[in-house]
Amino acid sequence: MSRLDPDSLETESYGHGGMMVRALLLGFGTFESAVDGEWSPTSEGLPPLPSVEPHVRELAVVLSRFDGLNVSEPLIDADWVSVKEGWRQLRHDSVGRPRIVHFAGHGVSRGRVLYLPVHDSRPTDLPESAIDVGRWLNEVEHGSDQSPVLFLLDVCGAGAATDYQLFQDVPEGDRKTWVIAACTADESAFDARFTKATAQALERLRLGHWDISPTLSHVPVEAVADEIARELVRLGEGYPQTVVHSPRRAASLPVPEFFANPALSTDGWQRLRSRLRFAVRELAAEFDPGLDPVHFLTRASGRLDDAAAMTGCLFTGRTRELTQIRSWLASDEPLLLVTGSPGAGKSALLGVTVFLSHNQLAELSTGLVGRIRAQYRPERRYPTLVAVHARHRSMDEVIASIMVQLSPADAEPAAASSEQALDELKRIAQDLPEPVILILDATDEALESGRIVHDLLPELLRTLRSDGRPAFRALVGMRPPQADGHRFCEVPGARCPVPTGWCSTWTPPPVSRTSRTTSRPTSPTSSTAHPVTATRPFVSP
C-alpha cells in the first residue's frame, strides 16, 4: 500500500478545492487474553477475529487510491498506548482538515457507553484500557478545531455511538462528528463484513459509479451509509445488519468534506452524461455479472461510452451476417462461430443479437429495434437464450452465469465443484421446454479459454434432450484460431462440422477500419464458407 508523507502534503488541496483529508484505520483481531468459545462482558478474555486484518488492509488500499486522502499505515493489533498516540496525532497534526477514523474489532456496550477493546485491553477494566467512543466524540465536539471527523465503526452494537449523539444534543448546524455504524445498538456485526462492504462501496465511488448529484462538491454522509448498506446486501451470507448513521433532520445543511464528488460538473451536458452513465450501471446491477449488459449495449450501439450508448445507436449494415444468425437461431443447429481480427465487429454483431433476442433485455433494445429492419432481426425472443461476456472469467464463472440466467431468482446457489455444477447445468437444460441458446463473446480472452473451448463447449454441445434435440446450442465469438490453437469437436447434427483446420488456414487480411474495400475472399479449405468482406466478422456454421 502506498503511504503518503503528511508533511509533504500540508498545502495540497483535495478534489475540487476541498481540504486534504487524513485517515486513521484501526483493526483488532488478536488480544493478549484470548478466550475460547462464546464471549460475554464478564469474560476475562476476548475471542480472536481473524477476518479483521485482511479487510482493514483492503480498505486502506482503496482509500489510498483517492486523490486528497492521506492514509497512513493501519494500526493492526496495537496496544492501548499506541492507539492513544495515534488518535492524538490525528487530532493535533491535522488541525483544520477533515479526518476519517475506521475501527474494526469488538464492541462492548455498558449502558449508554460503547467501548472498543484494543490488543491489551482488560475486559474487566475497559474504562482504563479501551476506547470510550463517547469520550472521543466529546473531544471533537467540544474542542476548538472546527473540522469534521467521520467515524466508521465495524463492531457489535456500533449503533450505540449514534444513540449517544442524540444525548449530546449538538445543534445539527454545529455538528463536527459523524458516525456510520455497522449495525444498531442491539445487533451484532459479523466477519468484518462492514469493512469489506465499505471498501467495495468506496471503490465504486472512486470509479464514479454512485448516483450523486453533479451539483454537489462532496458526497453526503447519508449517501455513503446507503451505499455501504447496499454492498452489505450484495454480500449476502444471511447475516442481518442494519447500517445506521448520525441523525440528520435538516435538508439544507452544508455537506462535510470527507469524500469529493467525482461527478461534480458545471457543464450541463456533462451532468446529463453523468446521470445517464449511472442509469446504465444501475440497470446492469440488476443482471448477473456474466451477462454484462453494458458490454453488449456499448458494442451493439457503437458507442463505447456507457452514457452515450443510451442516447443513440450507430450500428449499420451487416445484413448478410444478421440474416445468417437469424436463420441459425430459428434452427436446431448446435454451433455457429463468429470469428475475426480485433476490431472487426464480432462483439457488435453479438451485442445486437443479444439485445434483440434475450428476454430480459427487451425494454433496453428500443434503440436497436429502430436501426435494424424486421427482416434482419431474430424472429422472436428466446426464453432459454443466455449470454456471457467471457473476458477475464474462468470456466466456473461462465457455468455459474449460465445457471443464474436459467434459474429462478430464489433458486439455491450452484454446486461447489465444477463437475457438480456442470452436471446440474445439463440437468436444468434437459428439463427446459426449448434448447438453451448460449451466446458466448470474447471466448479467447477468458481466463481459462482453453478449458472453455476444449472441455466445456464440447460437453454442452454433445448433450441431448429426451426428444433428441440438442440441449445446448452455442453462438461463439472469438478471434481466428491459429493452427495449434483452439479445436472444436465435431457436433452431431451440425450442418457442417467445424474441423481443426477450417479457421486456421484462412484469416481475413488486415484492412484499415476506414477502408471501403469490398473484396470477397473465401476459405480455400471450405466450400461451404460464406464470402465475407475484409472489414467484417466472419460467420461460420
Side-chain angles (χ1 to χ4, degrees):
M1 184 195 73
S2 61
R3 182 171 181 173
L4 305 179
D5 179 6
D7 294 332
S8 66
L9 300 171
E10 290 293 331
T11 61
E12 293 187 28
S13 62
Y14 170 32
H16 306 287
M19 301 296 293
M20 172 67 66
V21 177
R22 289 284 302 277
L24 173 64
L25 278 66
L26 306 166
F28 298 89
T30 63
F31 304 89
E32 280 191 350
S33 181
V35 63
D36 295 327
E38 187 173 352
W39 180 83
S40 70
T42 59
S43 301
E44 295 185 358
L46 294 162
L49 301 171
S51 59
V52 165
E53 180 175 357
H55 291 324
V56 169
R57 293 196 181 279
E58 176 188 6
L59 176 58
V61 170
V62 170
L63 289 175
S64 70
R65 296 172 182 153
F66 279 79
D67 292 335
L69 256 174
N70 180 4
V71 186
S72 57
E73 185 71 21
L75 290 180
I76 303 294
D77 297 327
D79 58 25
W80 178 222
V81 172
S82 299
V83 171
K84 288 191 294 183
E85 178 60 19
W87 170 242
R88 187 197 67 79
Q89 289 184 359
L90 182 73
R91 291 189 60 221
H92 295 285
D93 295 351
S94 56
V95 173
R97 294 185 289 177
R99 291 152 291 183
I100 297 172
V101 177
H102 181 92
F103 184 100
H106 283 295
V108 182
S109 296
R110 299 282 176 83
R112 295 178 180 174
V113 180
L114 176 63
Y115 292 107
L116 308 179
V118 299
H119 177 67
D120 57 351
S121 292
R122 301 178 298 278
T124 56
D125 191 17
L126 292 176
E128 297 298 326
S129 62
I131 298 169
D132 179 341
V133 174
R135 179 174 179 175
W136 280 19
L137 293 174
N138 285 333
E139 288 179 1
V140 176
E141 292 291 2
H142 303 157
S144 59
D145 187 359
Q146 298 301 306
S147 57
V149 179
L150 172 63
F151 292 90
L152 301 166
L153 303 179
D154 189 2
V155 301
C156 294
T162 62
D163 294 344
Y164 183 84
Q165 289 186 297
L166 292 173
F167 294 101
Q168 284 183 302
D169 198 26
V170 176
E172 288 192 357
D174 298 332
R175 180 181 300 285
K176 293 186 289 184
T177 58
W178 302 85
V179 176
I180 301 178
C183 57
T184 62
D186 57 354
E187 288 182 340
S188 297
F190 302 93
D191 298 331
R193 294 171 65 250
F194 175 86
T195 302
K196 181 178 181 180
T198 300
Q200 293 178 350
L202 292 179
E203 178 65 8
R204 291 180 60 246
L205 169 63
R206 188 182 69 84
L207 296 174
H209 294 172
W210 288 17
D211 184 20
I212 306 298
S213 170
T215 64
L216 295 176
S217 63
H218 290 79
V219 181
V221 171
E222 297 85 351
V224 178
D226 288 344
E227 290 294 335
I228 294 173
R230 289 191 183 97
E231 289 296 334
L232 273 176
V233 171
R234 292 189 183 102
L235 289 176
E237 303 175 13
Y239 297 116
Q241 286 183 232
T242 306
V243 175
V244 294
H245 58 78
S246 299
R248 182 182 175 106
R249 295 182 295 273
S252 58
L253 293 176
V255 176
E257 300 182 359
F258 298 119
F259 298 102
N261 179 13
L264 175 66
S265 176
T266 58
D267 180 83
W269 172 240
Q270 290 299 327
R271 289 183 179 183
L272 175 60
R273 286 166 60 89
S274 175
R275 305 316 288 262
L276 287 173
R277 183 174 293 109
F278 175 76
V280 173
R281 296 292 174 181
E282 281 292 286
L283 287 170
E286 298 177 8
F287 299 94
D288 179 75
L291 174 55
D292 196 357
V294 173
H295 164 76
F296 287 111
L297 175 62
T298 54
R299 270 60 182 181
S301 68
R303 296 172 177 266
L304 297 186
D305 182 283
D306 44 10
M310 295 291 287
T311 63
C313 174
L314 302 178
F315 188 91
T316 186
R318 305 293 194 262
T319 55
R320 188 188 63 215
E321 290 84 0
L322 289 172
T323 300
Q324 186 173 352
I325 290 175
R326 170 190 166 99
S327 174
W328 179 84
L329 286 172
S331 72
D332 268 357
E333 294 173 10
L335 179 64
L336 186 65
L337 291 179
V338 178
T339 65
S341 58
K346 303 182 296 297
S347 293
L349 194 58
L350 294 180
V352 167
T353 303
V354 168
F355 268 84
L356 295 180
S357 56
H358 198 295
N359 254 353
Q360 298 178 37
L361 301 177
E363 295 180 356
L364 302 178
S365 62
T366 306
L368 289 174
V369 170
R371 292 285 295 182
I372 299 174
R373 293 182 180 181
Q375 67 196 82
Y376 304 127
R377 300 179 214 148
E379 295 181 4
R380 61 186 176 94
R381 292 191 178 272
Y382 295 85
T384 56
L385 184 143
V386 298
V388 179
H389 179 209
R391 184 172 185 262
H392 294 170
R393 287 187 166 84
S394 66
M395 189 176 83
D396 289 350
E397 289 174 316
V398 171
I399 294 173
S401 180
I402 298 172
M403 292 186 68
V404 168
Q405 294 180 58
L406 292 175
S407 303
D410 56 351
E412 292 294 322
S417 71
S418 299
E419 185 175 348
Q420 291 174 329
L422 183 56
D423 289 342
E424 177 65 12
L425 174 58
K426 291 160 62 177
R427 184 196 65 76
I428 291 173
Q430 289 170 326
D431 291 340
L432 293 173
E434 299 181 17
V436 173
I437 300 175
L438 168 62
I439 299 180
L440 192 63
D441 191 23
T443 310
D444 49 311
E445 298 179 66
L447 293 178
E448 298 177 299
S449 60
R451 292 185 64 199
I452 292 172
V453 171
H454 298 309
D455 300 332
L456 176 61
L457 285 174
E459 182 67 21
L460 294 180
L461 297 177
R462 289 193 191 103
T463 305
L464 299 178
R465 298 158 46 90
S466 59
D467 58 6
R469 301 173 69 190
F472 295 90
R473 305 171 58 219
L475 173 58
V476 181
M478 60 189 297
R479 297 171 185 173
Q482 301 302 314
D484 59 348
H486 302 311
R487 296 167 179 260
F488 284 94
C489 69
E490 294 190 5
V491 181
R495 185 197 327 168
C496 172
V498 184
T500 303
W502 185 83
C503 282
S504 63
T505 57
W506 180 84
T507 302
V511 176
S512 168
R513 295 291 301 276
T514 59
S515 170
R516 296 184 180 274
T517 301
T518 56
S519 59
R520 303 168 72 90
T522 57
S523 168
T525 61
S526 174
S527 61
T528 60
H530 290 274
V532 61
T533 63
T535 55
R536 291 180 176 175
F538 190 68
V539 182
S540 165

